[in-house]
Amino acid sequence: MNHSMKKKMLLLAAFAMVFSVAALPVSANYYVSYGNDTIDAYPYGMNYTTSMEIKSDVTGSFASVTQIGIKRTIYRNGSKVTSSTQYDKTSPFNISIDESFDSSSRSNSWKVDVQDLLKGKMADGTSVNGAIMSFSLSDSN
């Protein structure tokens, strides 16, 4: 075998190794992406928005996700108005909420307690089933 033929064989072997390594499956992990949570009080009412979605990234904290949810409780002038939870059980997981509430009073103090929920497994195998973040939004007019 001449020198040129040896170079070609070596080059082919190198390409074969690169392509076989590139074809190995990479485990995808997931992370939670949050939108801009807002509350806007105005005379006789308020509007608020909240959102979350699951995105894939090998550096994500979650190995698997089977469900996400957003639980929210609305208060007007310190009194509970309503509480509800919205779930998404289908991939790609995404919840976006834009709600408005009216009041018979011109001036009000509004508060929204929010819990972001997730069911799945962490990258280390630990099961998760519940709140992964809680926060409050408030505004008054």
Side-chain angles (χ1 to χ4, degrees), residues 32-136:
V32 180
S33 175
Y34 298 99
N36 291 330
D37 301 306
T38 63
I39 185 169
D40 182 31
Y42 51 86
Y44 303 104
M46 75 91 170
N47 182 312
Y48 88 95
T49 61
T50 187
S51 65
M52 70 184 287
E53 70 179 303
I54 301 299
K55 294 190 175 187
S56 177
D57 187 314
V58 294
T59 62
S61 300
F62 300 96
S64 66
V65 176
T66 57
Q67 172 179 298
I68 63 171
I70 298 178
K71 178 180 180 179
R72 62 248 186 238
T73 305
I74 314 299
Y75 299 90
R76 181 182 63 236
N77 301 326
S79 297
K80 183 177 169 181
V81 175
T82 188
S83 183
S84 60
T85 305
Q86 182 175 335
Y87 293 100
D88 186 352
K89 299 177 182 180
T90 308
S91 182
F93 302 98
N94 185 352
I95 297 176
S96 184
I97 299 170
D98 186 353
E99 292 184 308
S100 296
F101 291 88
D102 295 328
S103 171
S104 58
S105 301
R106 177 176 170 76
S107 182
N108 295 283
S109 177
W110 295 91
K111 179 181 172 188
V112 182
D113 287 339
V114 180
Q115 282 189 324
D116 292 329
L117 311 170
L118 186 139
K119 185 175 184 180
K121 287 194 183 273
M122 300 290 292
D124 67 3
T126 305
S127 292
V128 177
N129 187 9
I132 57 170
M133 180 163 43
S134 299
F135 59 93
S136 294

Side-chain angles (χ1 to χ4, degrees), residues 2-28:
N2 66 25
H3 184 68
S4 175
M5 186 69 122
K6 285 183 184 178
K7 277 181 139 178
K8 287 180 184 177
M9 295 282 284
L10 187 57
L11 190 58
L12 285 173
F15 276 126
M17 285 177 41
V18 167
F19 286 121
S20 66
V21 170
L24 291 175
V26 175
S27 176

